[in-house]
Amino acid sequence: MLSNLFLQLTHIELLISYPVKDILTLIKRDPRFTVKVLNDIYFEDSFVDEGIHRLIMNNVVNWLYERGENPDEFVQKIIQRCASFEAVPARSVLRSYLPYVSQFYATEDVRQLCLDIIPKRYPLLTNSKFLRRELVDGFRKEYFTYRFDSPGMLITNPMRWFNGLVQLGPIFLNTPQYELIEYKASQTSFVEALENRVPAEVRDDGCVYVNGRQVGKYMTFGDCLAEYGLEWEFEAEKKMACIRATEDVIDEKVGAVLIHKGCYYGAPASVVYFDYKANVVAPEPFNKLMSAVVKQEFDSWEPIQKAQEQLLEAMNDSVTIIYYKSDDSISVNNKHLMRNVPARILRNLLREYSATGREEFENREFKRDPSICMDPLRPNFESRLNRVIAHINGSDDPEHPSEGVKKFFEIERHRRGGFRFVPKCKIIFREE
């Protein structure tokens, strides 16, 4: 279990920046988004497990991409809002710093101390430590390493989020952001960093290509350490293969930086470089946080609370779908919808959606099921899927009118060989 603080900041940004009806499209992406989950990420000092953290953050990233928005800019909006101390969960932040209050009042460099306490504040970052620290012309140049026991345990690609989280430390403590933060190595693989936005191709020359352009090359983690003059205690890890980015890869649609030039991807540990002005102090490092706590007693928190209440109320909109084994039929809100093969197709789809949240399906998945397509040589699945869609859409035929259920969910045949399940409310599915 881990603190919900960063999830809370993310959720607050959603509540402030988007109308409830838009946030609902995010919530409906996965049936595991429940009222309890939303309360756990909203209320101060709550805790969530790693799986819920990953679920939320990955869905937020994919949702932003689907809206044509840049996740990098979303993180910057969180940072900017915190810098203005607008709608900051100040009590939670303040409590997280209580063990270090005396150190921050005594330190000669607030921002260096923010980095020093990272291993204690974030215990999920294992083997976190500094590999090298130098002071050059009044600037600190420091290489920090950390790893997750299971890469991607909190989010598939944590790079932008880690940078944002680290920048919040100085902001909360009344000092400027770090001038430069760069990943030199990342546990995130090259493919995961692309976030399904562009395909990558590995050729026989040991290089990686995106859209015909060379953007990476296979090297070792030892090459990374040598390039930046860093020592490493685990000899075997130096031989591990990585992909060194030779060019930036930028998402053409939204402008997000997917791959950062010079970074080694798929490394056994992440290495982050900090370059910032030394000896920046704040006479009253907790002054703004204390002021934010006072403001929360008045009007600044009311719009957020109202948006949260509206979201929870809207989530109560749901549909109950039951598959009856006895007569091979499906009902929606206690009204018969379909039976036999169409019912089995919808049943299989809903089983997968309820278990994993997956909405994209391939025709061949269903063609292989003998309960749906008995003749593998002539599966005729497309016509059977058309019958499912017809039941969902209903009919305007005056002789055989049917209301349909597309106000609850639809099936879109948006590409050849596949289709998409589109939930429009919370789906409750069971088999009896």
Side-chain angles (χ1 to χ4, degrees), residues 346-357:
L346 186 57
R347 175 202 64 191
N348 288 9
L349 182 158
L350 289 169
R351 279 177 179 171
E352 181 67 17
Y353 172 75
S354 298
T356 68

Side-chain angles (χ1 to χ4, degrees), residues 401-416:
S402 172
E403 181 181 0
V405 293
K406 63 181 180 181
K407 66 180 179 181
F408 301 122
F409 60 89
E410 288 188 80
I411 290 177
E412 292 182 352
R413 302 190 68 166
H414 65 297
R415 60 182 174 84
R416 185 178 180 85

Side-chain angles (χ1 to χ4, degrees), residues 147-182:
R147 72 177 81 199
F148 291 108
D149 289 335
S150 175
M153 63 188 298
L154 300 183
I155 183 173
T156 301
N157 181 10
M159 295 172 67
R160 65 170 64 89
W161 303 96
F162 178 83
N163 283 6
L165 185 64
V166 171
Q167 288 287 22
L168 292 179
I171 288 172
F172 286 144
L173 297 172
N174 207 11
T175 54
Q177 299 179 41
Y178 297 104
E179 282 78 2
L180 178 66
I181 303 177
E182 284 184 348

Side-chain angles (χ1 to χ4, degrees), residues 221-267:
F221 186 52
D223 294 325
C224 172
L225 299 170
E227 181 175 347
Y228 299 111
L230 303 174
E231 299 293 330
W232 197 255
E233 59 184 315
F234 304 109
E235 287 296 323
E237 291 183 344
K238 295 180 181 180
K239 301 175 183 179
M240 292 182 64
C242 306
I243 297 177
R244 184 187 187 277
T246 55
E247 298 287 342
D248 286 339
V249 177
I250 299 175
D251 188 298
E252 295 180 355
K253 294 182 179 179
V254 303
V257 181
L258 305 173
I259 298 294
H260 295 263
K261 181 179 179 180
C263 181
Y264 288 72
Y265 290 87

Side-chain angles (χ1 to χ4, degrees), residues 37-51:
V37 167
L38 290 191
N39 280 330
D40 284 345
I41 65 177
Y42 177 74
F43 289 116
E44 293 182 348
D45 300 325
S46 293
F47 292 86
V48 296
D49 65 35
E50 292 88 339

